[in-house]
Amino acid sequence: MNGARKPLVLIVEDEAHLTTMLHYNIEKEGFRVAEARDGEEALLMVQEEPPDLILLDWMLPRVPGIEVCRRLRSKAETRNIPIIMLTARGEEADRVRGLDTGADDYITKPFLMTELLARVRAVLRRIRPALTEDVLTFGDLSIDRTSHRVRRSGREIHLGPTEYKLLDHFLQHPGRVFSREQLLDAVWGSGVYVDARTVDVHIGRLRKAVNEQGDVDPIRTVRSAGYALDESFQP
Ligand code: CA
């Protein structure tokens, strides 16, 4: 796993001993870990640095877990963050309610740590397979994230650092349409003021570099929405 890109897992849990145990075990799996003790803190932390996965307790002070889940799902920037709900309630109705609100998985307390870790790995593999890979490919495009080499049809492409980050982001989510604002957050970082048109400039450079080695443009411009690595791209 590429050290610089360790996935971030946010634990939202008010029971300190459980948090400590989860933190220790998840870190040991090779992930980065952040902790929030209540729902309000969790929502703030997600805004600051969106995690790759959230372990979300149902019973939380201030804002309950199910409400945190609902709020995250209602915003475009946080809609796709995988969530595993933790709960002491085992009733089927609650399970259904949790999944309805958009949780990706559900685990009932008390649970075995090995089972929880297996679920964490499964959710990350299913939703963000790119997180755990060093080489990302799409059609005849590939990025080696260890050596930072980009190739199209086996030939090396030289990209500037911003174009490299854009392509890496697209390769992590093939087919998904990103608005200029989402690309700014993902590539330049949230809280940095850059004009949205800057994105168009760098997309233009990325396109030019990538298309020198091939005749099909893999980047699709989605009118009034943004950009995507095209799903139908088949060189
Ligand atoms: Ca709790």
Side-chain angles (χ1 to χ4, degrees):
M1 194 181 293
N2 189 333
R5 297 198 55 92
K6 275 187 188 176
L8 176 65
V9 176
L10 174 63
I11 303 168
V12 190
E13 170 61 76
D14 58 324
E15 288 162 54
H17 71 280
L18 183 56
T19 306
T20 307
M21 197 168 70
L22 284 167
H23 191 133
Y24 172 78
N25 283 284
I26 292 167
E27 210 165 57
K28 224 170 59 176
E29 287 285 300
F31 302 117
R32 286 185 299 138
V33 177
E35 294 176 12
R37 306 230 174 266
D38 62 62
E40 206 171 284
E41 193 185 7
L43 289 165
L44 287 172
M45 288 178 76
V46 169
Q47 248 181 357
E48 267 171 38
E49 186 184 1
D52 297 290
L53 174 77
I54 302 175
L55 292 180
L56 182 60
D57 186 28
W58 183 292
M59 301 289 278
L60 284 171
R62 290 140 90 88
V63 183
I66 195 141
E67 178 60 17
V68 173
C69 189
R70 199 189 61 74
R71 288 197 209 168
L72 293 174
R73 289 297 179 250
S74 69
K75 284 204 230 152
E77 314 89 85
T78 54
R79 182 169 297 151
N80 297 308
I81 300 174
I83 296 173
I84 299 178
M85 298 273 310
L86 310 177
T87 182
R89 310 176 183 196
E91 290 108 16
E92 193 60 23
D94 283 341
R95 182 188 148 82
V96 170
R97 222 174 115 212
L99 292 173
D100 267 358
T101 318
D104 296 278
D105 203 354
Y106 189 100
I107 195 161
T108 307
K109 292 176 186 174
F111 49 80
L112 290 172
M113 196 53 70
T114 47
E115 193 195 343
L116 180 104
L117 293 173
R119 303 270 194 107
V120 166
R121 280 191 299 264
V123 167
L124 282 174
R125 245 199 326 270
R126 177 160 52 84
I127 299 173
R128 307 278 305 274
L131 281 170
T132 50
E133 284 166 22
D134 284 337
V135 179
L136 301 183
T137 57
F138 186 69
D140 61 355
L141 269 172
S142 73
I143 274 189
D144 184 323
R145 296 157 117 192
T146 313
S147 64
H148 279 232
R149 284 227 167 90
V150 180
R151 291 176 198 278
R152 184 154 187 197
S153 302
R155 280 174 296 183
E156 196 165 346
I157 295 169
H158 297 279
L159 296 178
T162 303
E163 287 73 37
Y164 177 89
K165 283 191 217 160
L166 274 170
L167 184 62
D168 185 272
H169 191 65
F170 282 130
L171 281 164
Q172 284 185 56
H173 315 88
R176 202 171 124 193
V177 180
F178 291 100
S179 68
R180 288 166 180 81
E181 288 71 25
Q182 286 172 328
L183 290 172
L184 279 175
D185 280 354
V187 172
W188 281 262
S190 52
V192 176
Y193 181 77
V194 184
D195 193 288
R197 277 167 300 185
T198 307
V199 175
D200 300 338
V201 173
H202 288 279
I203 291 277
R205 286 185 197 159
L206 175 61
R207 267 201 171 117
K208 189 163 173 255
V210 162
N211 294 333
E212 261 171 22
Q213 308 282 4
D215 39 31
V216 187
D217 187 355
I219 300 162
R220 181 163 52 106
T221 305
V222 184
R223 251 188 107 198
S224 72
Y227 298 101
L229 198 63
D230 202 353
E231 273 174 322
S232 61
F233 167 65
Q234 292 290 344

